Amino acid sequence: MDVNFIFKIAAIGIIVAVLNQVLIRSGREEQAMMTTLAGLVVVLMMVVTEISSLFDTIKSLFGL
C-alpha cells in the first residue's frame, strides 16, 4: 500500500461530495443518496482488495 492508494480514496471522496451537493441543490435527493452509496461501494471494494493482498502476504510469510 502506498500513498497513491490514499490519494485515490480521497479523490473519490471529493468527487462524491461535490456530486452529492450538486444533486441535493438541484432537488434530486434520491440520486444524491445513490451516488454516495456507489462511492462507498467503490471505496470498500478497493479496501477489500488491499486487505486480501495483506492476508496473502501474511499467509506466505508464515508459510500457511
Side-chain angles (χ1 to χ4, degrees):
M1 186 169 110
D2 55 349
V3 177
N4 288 334
F5 182 71
I6 296 171
F7 286 151
K8 286 179 186 177
I9 292 175
I12 291 170
I14 291 170
I15 290 169
V16 167
V18 169
L19 285 174
N20 191 10
Q21 288 300 315
V22 168
L23 288 170
I24 286 176
R25 299 276 185 208
S26 66
R28 299 182 178 183
E29 288 82 13
E30 293 85 14
Q31 286 88 0
M33 179 63 71
M34 295 306 274
T35 303
T36 304
L37 289 175
L40 180 65
V41 168
V42 168
V43 170
L44 284 177
M45 292 302 292
M46 291 171 58
V47 170
V48 164
T49 305
E50 288 294 319
I51 290 174
S52 173
S53 68
L54 172 67
F55 284 147
D56 288 338
T57 304
I58 291 172
K59 188 177 177 181
S60 67
L61 180 69
F62 291 113
L64 299 174

